[in-house]
Amino acid sequence: MNDHSLFAEHALLPTGWARDVLLSWNDQGLLTNVNPVDNCPVGTPRAAGPVLPGMPNLHSHAFQRAFGGLTEYRGATQDSFWSWRSLMYRFAAAITPEQLEAIACGLYVEMLEAGYTSVCEFHYVHHDHDGRPYADDAALSMCLLRASARAGIGLTLLPVLYQTSGFGAAPPSEGQRRFIRSTDNMLALLQKLKPLCDAQGTRLGLAPHSLRAVPPHSLREALAGLHAMDATAPVHMHIAEQTAEVEACLAWSGQRPVQWLLDHAPVDARWCLVHATHMSPDESTRAAQTGVVAGLCPSTEANLGDGIFDANTWRQAGGRWGVGSDSHTCVNAAEELMLLEYSQRLATRHRNVLASPTQASVATAMTLAAVAGGAQASARLVAGLALGQQADMQVLDALHPLLRELPSPDTMLSAHVFASHRQSALSQVWVAGKVQVQAGRHALHDIALSGMVAARQHLLQSTP
Ligand code: NGQ
Ligand code: ZN
């Protein structure tokens, strides 16, 4: 049995669907062969259905999985993003390293079972409950490194720089004490993490949290330090998610957030602008032309009442995009694609908005675009089924009732994204040439999820 290859009757390559493809990879899990063949070679396993590239998840705050479903009630005031944030800060204030690791491990198992093969962690809870550094200053980053290695998901670790509570260098609030680092202290953390990340195939980047949280001089210095360490390291930043943020930025600088950033920072293809919900058409066109990735998080953006991203303007300017599960109110790659397309249908009153000139099938077009953009934002070799990329794959189950006897892989993928339960038709998930999910289940499903439940229970007991 050849355990370094897989035969796919239908494989979704960056150029579109191909028939009878033999996928082979080396000991590092990188694809060495993606070619059509006449027959499935003897001894090579045959995929149970169409093979899709694994989906990179470009935006995650792992600890937020612990309170999914627990902020869905009306408070005293008009509930908003900001009232949600106050509730979120209570969990951020209470979580322990052990809880973070258990929650992240459970979450990563869930991600793999739902089609994500790698994740970008936008990691900002750094310090102990009093806001003092742990004895090992990298303690909480290490929890995420261990959790990803245990679950077998690829990781881009983005330690977050957080210094102020608002534009104009407003001092941080009590609730932000676990996040705060000086620029030098952040650069020291990156130096410490670099060899540890390199050793496990994790990519290390930096996330200036937002223009609210990082003053201009710190942004400049942190980027210079990052680029001295690794000139191609990824940079992620939350931006223009809420209209209140746009207004505060205008009041501070006379410019909208994306406009300000484009004028004051070296935004390029290394960058991921997370959300970028509220852009003028001009900001959108300018930003798209830099090669930056828009990090769209449709389920969280809906959950938090952010607004609707204008995908048409973005794409007309050649804008790249990928998806993230962010607060993990939904953990499912196909569902994020569905929600994104539906947001566009609701806003424009059209259908199949995110289909493309070369891919009429919207699920196929979106999968390819989100893998390409997600890979760019991850800065890892996860750009799909192509030579030299990691063998990260989702295998659909052609015998699932909703896919069975359908006439083409396009229709099977459409059924998976738009008509199925968006998880039940996933037969296998592979990461770097290793099966991590078989018959819809990860080997650690029971143990990792019961670990997550126990950690959540303790966290709830300690959260006021
Ligand atoms: C976060 N989450 O950092 O977890 C943010 C909220 C903020 C989202 N923006 C905090 N979805 O932006 O200040
Ligand atoms: Zn976020």
Side-chain angles (χ1 to χ4, degrees):
M1 188 82 163
N2 184 345
D3 67 354
H4 277 46
S5 54
L6 181 69
F7 174 81
E9 204 179 317
H10 300 286
L12 183 57
L13 312 186
T15 47
W17 289 104
R19 287 285 317 216
D20 298 335
V21 175
L22 180 66
L23 298 146
S24 312
W25 50 87
N26 61 21
D27 288 341
Q28 286 73 51
L30 301 178
L31 288 163
T32 51
N33 185 44
V34 185
N35 282 327
V37 288
D38 289 335
N39 296 300
C40 176
V42 179
T44 295
R46 182 184 273 272
V51 177
L52 320 173
M55 183 63 70
N57 184 340
L58 57 60
H59 193 65
S60 164
H61 309 286
F63 77 95
Q64 295 182 6
R65 183 57 168 160
F67 56 91
L70 299 178
T71 59
E72 309 300 321
Y73 59 91
R74 186 172 279 193
T77 56
Q78 177 65 60
D79 289 294
S80 67
F81 174 92
W82 308 101
S83 61
W84 168 84
R85 193 177 76 157
S86 305
L87 294 176
M88 182 271 275
Y89 278 3
R90 292 199 220 160
F91 294 97
I95 198 161
T96 66
E98 296 71 26
Q99 289 163 1
L100 175 64
E101 187 165 340
I103 290 160
C105 186
L107 170 67
Y108 296 158
V109 164
E110 292 186 283
M111 283 187 191
L112 285 160
E113 290 180 347
Y116 291 119
T117 43
S118 59
V119 59
C120 301
E121 265 300 326
F122 198 107
H123 167 57
Y124 58 86
V125 182
H126 299 301
H127 304 312
D128 74 10
H129 301 273
D130 300 321
R132 282 189 300 255
Y134 284 101
D136 172 6
D137 190 31
L140 291 175
S141 295
M142 295 309 297
C143 293
L144 296 169
L145 284 169
R146 282 192 299 271
S148 66
R150 181 151 174 248
I153 197 167
L155 178 66
T156 296
L157 181 65
L158 303 160
V160 172
L161 186 63
Y162 205 115
Q163 299 182 334
T164 60
S165 66
F167 292 100
S173 70
E174 233 347 75
Q176 295 165 338
R177 66 188 177 279
R178 300 186 75 179
F179 319 160
I180 306 304
R181 283 181 183 276
S182 71
T183 307
D184 285 347
N185 177 247
M186 171 54 70
L187 294 175
L189 175 70
L190 294 178
Q191 291 297 344
K192 180 166 189 177
L193 287 170
K194 184 81 171 86
L196 303 168
C197 288
D198 287 349
Q200 76 165 55
T202 291
R203 190 68 198 259
L204 182 65
L206 175 71
H209 181 275
S210 53
L211 294 178
R212 288 176 273 126
V214 182
H217 66 276
S218 299
L219 181 60
R220 243 187 341 266
E221 283 161 27
L223 291 174
L226 174 75
H227 294 153
M229 181 185 83
D230 176 354
T232 61
V235 178
H236 290 216
M237 182 185 242
H238 291 132
I239 197 145
E241 180 180 10
Q242 283 278 319
T243 51
E245 178 185 346
V246 176
E247 281 150 27
C249 188
L250 277 166
W252 165 66
S253 67
Q255 290 189 295
R256 302 167 60 84
V258 171
Q259 198 182 12
W260 188 93
L261 189 72
L262 292 171
D263 284 349
H264 294 88
V267 176
D268 63 12
R270 290 169 301 192
W271 286 62
C272 177
L273 301 185
V274 182
H275 309 302
T277 314
H278 299 289
M279 293 190 285
S280 67
D282 179 59
E283 281 178 297
S284 181
T285 302
R286 271 184 73 199
Q289 286 167 352
T290 66
V292 74
V293 174
L296 308 178
C297 308
S299 61
T300 294
E301 290 159 12
N303 185 273
L304 298 180
D306 288 344
I308 301 177
F309 182 79
D310 172 5
N312 273 333
T313 303
W314 186 249
R315 293 198 325 148
Q316 272 155 22
R320 304 167 192 182
W321 60 273
V323 291
S325 61
D326 192 348
S327 67
H328 315 300
T329 190
C330 157
V331 182
N332 186 299
E335 206 150 319
E336 294 299 342
L337 299 181
M338 180 196 76
L339 288 168
L340 176 59
E341 169 65 20
Y342 281 175
S343 72
Q344 302 304 307
R345 293 187 190 188
L346 289 165
T348 64
R349 288 175 268 127
H350 292 148
R351 297 187 75 250
N352 300 316
V353 178
L354 286 153
S356 74
T358 51
Q359 293 295 343
S361 164
V362 69
T364 301
M366 293 183 83
T367 300
L368 288 174
V371 168
Q376 183 181 318
S378 307
R380 296 179 69 252
L381 297 171
V382 293
L385 305 179
L387 279 188
Q389 299 296 314
Q390 223 171 258
D392 287 6
M393 306 179 278
Q394 313 178 62
V395 180
L396 297 181
D397 175 10
L399 296 179
H400 185 280
L402 276 157
L403 276 60
R404 200 162 169 166
E405 312 294 349
L406 290 184
S408 65
D410 272 334
T411 54
M412 287 191 259
L413 178 53
S414 299
H416 169 59
V417 172
F418 290 104
S420 80
H421 320 95
R422 286 163 284 279
Q423 193 141 340
S424 57
L426 271 186
S427 162
Q428 286 181 326
V429 178
W430 299 64
V431 179
K434 291 204 172 59
V435 177
Q436 293 294 353
V437 173
Q438 178 69 40
R441 280 227 155 195
H442 190 286
L444 298 181
H445 178 97
D446 287 337
I447 190 161
L449 292 181
S450 42
M452 179 166 84
V453 170
R456 177 176 67 185
Q457 195 180 354
H458 289 129
L459 177 60
L460 290 179
Q461 280 158 5
S462 62
T463 304

